[in-house]
Amino acid sequence: MGVVHKKLNVYSPDRYIYFMSDAPHLLKTFWNNLFSSRAHGGQRLLKINGSYITWDQIKQFWEKDVSGQLYMTKLTYDHINLTPQSKMKVKLAAQVVSESLATLLQKFGDDTVQETAKLLLFFDKFFDGLNVRCHQEAKQKRKPFLEPYTSVNDTRFEWMEKVFLKYFIDWYNEAQATPQLTATEKKKMFISLQTFKGLIMAVRSVIEAAKYLLQHVVDRKAYVYTNKFCQDPIEELFGRHRAIGRRAENMNLHMFGTQERSLHIQGQLQKELKPRGNVSGKRMRAPVKVYDTE
């Protein structure tokens, strides 16, 4: 699977520019693949090592849990019966693709759901490894994969490459090698290629970028928070550009430069007009409009 995850930085030849899909995006796309895997009428029917992985398994386990009033899981109706809007909520995805649900499936589920539990557990660890954001969370939640990266020899790097990623590569090869199936049927046995390539890109880029940072920082107490490798700032920036441009969907270089200058001036004025006192300034915007008079 040829996936380009980096390119040489032509302005700094000793460094690379890394491409990656951030963890929340990958979690949502994987969750949607899982939701579409059904025995009847689904767009996919995921299968690995002779075991099917379907959304029906999770739904049936939740229904038994609720009907028996055991309430072992934290899942609700909204977690199971998804809408186009709820499919975009990272919080719901993280509570389904979680260690807690995987552990319950392993303990109380039959043999048919063990591979599903294994997959959920793998992805939960992967998401934690790419969502490290502070020093305390790992101890508070008792999840070692949330520890900050402090060494190039961190065992999580090897796990991501040789266990997690290998699991998906073997799964892809197994689906492609299954005899007497059409190309469409083989495609249904595996997650979408976009998600698969995103996983490969993310794992390889995060490992190399984190190691580079740890190797080139002089401070001996250097650490890496992997949740900083995200596309949220870029999405926010271009969201503001779209809001300014309104109907102008295809900006040229001059329009982009003009809008970027307006955003910069707004940002500087907002710092000066930031409210003080017992109010939150994060959501408040200064009532300032900047017009280009050229």
Side-chain angles (χ1 to χ4, degrees):
M1 181 64 64
V3 177
V4 177
H5 69 284
K6 64 181 179 181
K7 293 290 287 186
L8 191 67
N9 187 343
V10 295
Y11 298 102
S12 181
D14 60 330
R15 302 169 65 183
Y16 284 94
I17 298 174
Y18 294 97
F19 313 124
M20 62 184 75
S21 297
D22 57 6
H25 175 74
L26 290 172
L27 177 66
K28 288 187 293 185
T29 57
F30 171 75
W31 184 41
N32 289 329
N33 276 264
L34 183 59
F35 178 72
S36 65
S37 178
R38 302 170 186 269
H40 303 286
Q43 296 178 353
R44 299 187 182 278
L45 185 56
L46 304 179
K47 185 179 182 181
I48 181 174
N49 296 328
S51 299
Y52 288 103
I53 298 174
T54 67
W55 188 256
D56 298 327
Q57 296 168 339
I58 297 175
K59 183 177 182 180
Q60 290 170 7
F61 185 83
W62 171 76
E63 288 174 343
K64 289 180 180 179
D65 184 38
V66 173
S67 62
Q69 296 185 345
L70 300 176
Y71 302 109
M72 295 183 293
T73 74
K74 296 181 180 180
L75 305 185
T76 64
Y77 180 90
D78 292 334
H79 289 89
I80 303 300
N81 300 280
L82 303 183
T83 64
Q85 292 75 26
S86 63
K87 286 182 179 180
M88 301 303 295
K89 294 184 178 180
V90 178
K91 182 178 180 180
L92 294 181
Q95 290 171 340
V96 173
V97 186
S98 63
E99 180 183 18
S100 58
L101 180 58
T103 303
L104 290 172
L105 288 172
Q106 288 177 333
K107 187 174 182 179
F108 298 103
D110 55 25
D111 293 340
T112 62
V113 300
Q114 295 308 307
E115 196 67 39
T116 303
K118 180 180 178 180
L119 179 59
L120 294 180
L121 188 60
F122 272 11
F123 216 94
D124 176 79
K125 289 183 177 181
F126 164 75
F127 182 68
D128 287 347
L130 266 66
N131 197 38
V132 178
R133 53 191 173 186
C134 68
H135 277 70
Q136 296 78 28
E137 191 173 16
K139 294 180 180 179
Q140 292 172 350
K141 295 184 177 181
R142 289 181 287 185
K143 301 186 76 174
F145 269 68
L146 288 171
E147 289 280 357
Y149 293 86
T150 58
S151 170
V152 295
N153 298 316
D154 194 301
T155 56
R156 286 171 292 181
F157 293 142
E158 184 176 5
W159 181 88
M160 286 184 190
E161 183 77 36
K162 297 185 178 180
V163 179
F164 177 78
L165 201 55
K166 184 178 182 299
Y167 179 86
F168 282 89
I169 292 174
D170 291 344
W171 183 3
Y172 173 79
N173 292 334
E174 177 185 324
Q176 294 302 309
T178 304
Q180 300 178 347
L181 290 181
T182 65
T184 301
E185 291 172 331
K186 291 179 180 180
K187 185 178 179 180
K188 288 184 176 181
M189 291 176 60
F190 188 61
I191 60 176
S192 67
L193 287 180
Q194 293 88 343
T195 303
F196 182 39
K197 291 180 179 180
L199 292 175
I200 296 175
M201 188 184 300
V203 168
R204 293 176 178 172
S205 293
V206 166
I207 290 175
E208 293 187 23
K211 286 185 176 181
Y212 177 87
L213 291 172
L214 292 170
Q215 288 172 338
H216 290 79
V217 173
V218 179
D219 189 352
R220 295 181 180 179
K221 296 182 180 179
Y223 56 87
V224 174
Y225 289 163
T226 49
N227 83 316
K228 299 300 182 181
F229 300 143
C230 71
Q231 60 196 33
D232 290 349
I234 297 177
E235 290 181 355
E236 183 179 359
L237 173 63
F238 280 92
R240 291 179 178 179
H241 273 282
R242 285 192 294 270
I244 295 176
R246 298 188 179 181
R247 295 185 180 182
E249 296 181 356
N250 299 311
M251 292 185 292
N252 56 34
L253 184 60
H254 176 73
M255 291 173 60
F256 182 85
T258 301
Q259 292 181 183
E260 187 70 16
R261 183 173 57 186
S262 298
L263 290 172
H264 175 72
I265 295 173
Q266 286 181 7
Q268 294 300 316
L269 290 174
Q270 188 174 323
K271 291 179 182 179
E272 298 298 326
L273 299 175
K274 186 176 180 180
R276 297 290 188 268
N278 192 25
V279 294
S280 174
K282 184 176 181 181
R283 293 184 177 274
M284 298 184 68
R285 295 287 183 265
V288 178
K289 294 185 179 180
V290 181
Y291 301 95
D292 186 24
T293 57
E294 293 183 0

